[in-house]
Amino acid sequence: MAQAAHPLALPPGAAQDRSKPMPEADMSLLDAAREVRENAYAPYSKFKVGAAVRGASGTVYRGVNVENVAYPEGTCAEAGAIAAMVAAGETELIEVAVIADSPSPVPPCGGCRQKLAEFGRAHVPVTLATTAGARLDTTIGDLLPGRFDAHHMDNV
């Protein structure tokens, strides 16, 4: 039985902008993050972040930061994209893109680095970008060396 598409998921190949000089798959993921960023709920900081992750199926899941007047209760864009992926029934991500309006590409916070490592392997590419076009290409392993993972619990 086929699963219904998740409302925050884009089908593979959607939202591609062929005017940018980047690989096609990269464009789709960055465009998805850029587009969803506008939906961020950031009334306090005004700092909107968009994220997109590609699941192993090729489907793109999007997320935004959601602030709360009680600051610790907000959520990050990366966590939102991962939650959408898991809600759709996927548990492996193969690519990540994060975008914000900042002077330089914004890396994920420590908690989101661990979340990315939970669902993606060390070699998974991560593109960090600004709305002005600056970009940094890295991997989950570079963002979180020495990560805590399931093998640390083998004796439990």
Side-chain angles (χ1 to χ4, degrees):
M1 177 181 217
Q3 288 184 331
H6 189 275
L8 294 179
L10 294 176
Q16 294 178 0
D17 179 357
R18 301 189 193 292
S19 66
K20 293 184 177 72
M22 332 178 183
E24 186 172 302
D26 217 24
M27 286 190 298
S28 177
L29 205 61
L30 272 176
D31 285 347
R34 181 180 292 107
E35 179 184 279
V36 76
R37 178 187 161 275
E38 296 305 317
N39 296 336
Y41 181 74
Y44 309 106
S45 72
K46 311 289 190 240
F47 189 70
K48 293 182 173 188
V49 181
V53 299
R54 187 181 315 279
S57 71
T59 303
V60 173
Y61 302 93
R62 305 177 298 165
V64 296
N65 58 316
V66 178
E67 293 181 349
N68 187 292
V69 70
Y71 269 95
E73 297 305 314
T75 58
C76 298
E78 301 90 332
I82 291 168
M85 179 185 76
V86 173
E90 289 202 62
T91 57
E92 182 182 359
L93 59 86
I94 60 169
E95 189 179 4
V96 180
V98 181
I99 190 167
D101 183 14
S102 57
S104 60
V106 176
C109 73
C112 284
R113 291 174 194 220
Q114 187 64 48
K115 288 174 182 73
L116 291 169
E118 179 73 17
F119 297 100
R121 297 181 182 168
H123 69 274
V124 167
V126 178
T127 300
L128 307 173
T130 69
T131 55
R135 105 185 231 160
L136 173 65
D137 294 306
T138 188
T139 65
I140 290 176
D142 288 340
L143 288 171
L144 191 63
R147 71 195 225 174
F148 179 80
D149 62 25
H151 92 272
H152 289 102
M153 299 180 67
D154 284 347
N155 290 345
V156 178

